[in-house]
Amino acid sequence: MIKIALPKGRIADETLEIFRKIFALDFQFEDRKLILDEGNFQFLMVRNQDIPTYVTEGAADIGIVGLDVLEEHKVDVVRLLDMRIGQCKVCVGIREQDVLDYTRPELKIATKMPNIARNYFSQKAIALKIIKLYGSIELAPLVGLADAIVDVVETGTTMKQNGLKVAETIMQSSAYLIANKNSFITKKAEILSLYHKIKTQINQK
Ligand code: PRP
């Protein structure tokens, strides 16, 4: 049995579509159901940011998670494959009328990715105050909570609709297939077989 942690939200639909094609199954998660059993596989519906925890702890053998989340949490897992879905970038955003002012004594950055933000700005030797938020990050500079944000940009709509612009791009991200280190030893054949199926499926797109 292979336990697979799938991310709720944006990446979930594309991931499930890949698995449906691979297994020629029309499986569907019921509305609020979190576990789905399909033959030798058990799919777990997990919040994106929690996938590294499930996979590192071995509660899931493999998982699918954004590179941004992997970088933020410095996760000790096997990175198997860039699935080329869920493509986005992590950016520094500011109000349209502003410039990113590195001469300020301190820059206030609102983000749900404090490690990525800290790493990025520490290379620029600038004093930073991180305002940790859990969502609606774009609101922070609009109400004076922060000078800038570090956040995920996919279509750019959220920034645009809120009068923000990208000042700098920190990294590109997409969804990765990852495996628990121990599972990758004990269930290597099954995991590699799945890896090859996913890879073939992705290359057909
Ligand atoms: C993410 C991110 C941005 C938005 C970017 O938020 O934090 O707010 O998506 O997408 P866009 O460029 O396509 O507009 P999410 O929808 O995950 O919600 P959140 O407010 O809970 O972070």
Side-chain angles (χ1 to χ4, degrees), residues 19-20 44 53 76 94 126 129 149 158 162 186 189-190 193:
F19 277 98
R20 276 189 206 107
L44 313 175
T53 307
D76 192 20
I94 52 174
I126 187 161
K129 180 171 182 189
I149 62 170
T158 312
N162 292 290
T186 56
E190 294 120 294
S193 157

Side-chain angles (χ1 to χ4, degrees), residues 10 47 112 134-138 151-159:
R10 288 169 195 244
R47 184 86 192 259
K112 55 185 167 190
Y134 294 89
S136 301
I137 316 294
E138 290 83 357
D151 199 15
V152 168
V153 177
E154 192 180 353
T155 60
T157 310
T158 312
M159 277 211 187

Side-chain angles (χ1 to χ4, degrees), residues 2-7 19 48-58 60-67 69-71 73-83 174-184 191 194-195 198:
I2 300 268
K3 284 181 276 178
I4 307 169
L6 293 182
F19 277 98
N48 196 25
Q49 289 90 339
D50 291 333
I51 294 224
T53 307
Y54 277 80
V55 176
T56 316
E57 296 292 323
D61 299 301
I62 61 173
I64 288 153
V65 67
L67 183 61
V69 177
L70 287 179
E71 292 296 313
H73 297 279
K74 291 283 166 239
V75 194
D76 192 20
V77 292
V78 185
R79 289 186 194 186
L80 288 171
L81 181 67
D82 177 358
M83 297 189 45
S174 52
Y176 273 65
L177 180 68
I178 58 170
N180 171 273
K181 282 189 158 175
N182 193 40
S183 299
F184 195 58
I191 290 176
L194 188 59
Y195 157 85
I198 293 174

Side-chain angles (χ1 to χ4, degrees), residues 9-173:
R10 288 169 195 244
I11 300 172
D13 290 344
E14 282 183 85
T15 306
L16 285 173
E17 192 55 37
I18 290 172
F19 277 98
R20 276 189 206 107
K21 283 184 181 147
I22 290 173
F23 299 113
L25 287 168
D26 191 23
F27 63 83
Q28 203 85 41
F29 268 89
E30 282 170 46
D31 204 18
R32 306 293 295 172
K33 199 98 198 286
L34 300 173
I35 295 184
L36 178 69
D37 287 303
E38 274 296 342
N40 279 338
F41 298 102
Q42 183 172 66
F43 295 95
L44 313 175
M45 198 47 102
V46 176
R47 184 86 192 259
N48 196 25
Q49 289 90 339
D50 291 333
I51 294 224
T53 307
Y54 277 80
V55 176
T56 316
E57 296 292 323
D61 299 301
I62 61 173
I64 288 153
V65 67
L67 183 61
D68 54 325
V69 177
L70 287 179
E71 292 296 313
E72 176 63 24
H73 297 279
K74 291 283 166 239
V75 194
D76 192 20
V77 292
V78 185
R79 289 186 194 186
L80 288 171
L81 181 67
D82 177 358
M83 297 189 45
R84 306 204 302 256
I85 57 173
Q87 292 187 350
C88 60
K89 21 184 209 174
V90 179
C91 296
V92 182
I94 52 174
R95 294 188 307 164
E96 256 154 22
Q97 65 270 34
D98 290 346
V99 285
L100 200 54
D101 184 4
Y102 283 118
T103 62
R104 273 168 180 267
E106 183 186 71
L107 205 57
K108 273 201 279 181
I109 302 284
T111 187
K112 55 185 167 190
M113 317 171 119
N115 292 326
I116 290 177
R118 223 175 264 119
N119 282 345
Y120 181 71
F121 284 102
S122 70
Q123 290 163 13
K124 296 176 184 286
I126 187 161
L128 207 64
K129 180 171 182 189
I130 298 282
I131 312 274
K132 173 81 169 77
L133 296 177
Y134 294 89
S136 301
I137 316 294
E138 290 83 357
L139 186 58
L142 305 180
V143 294
L145 180 61
D147 303 310
I149 62 170
V150 167
D151 199 15
V152 168
V153 177
E154 192 180 353
T155 60
T157 310
T158 312
M159 277 211 187
K160 202 168 174 206
Q161 286 192 357
N162 292 290
L164 301 182
K165 64 182 177 190
V166 172
E168 291 171 9
T169 297
I170 299 178
M171 63 176 284
Q172 303 285 337
S173 178

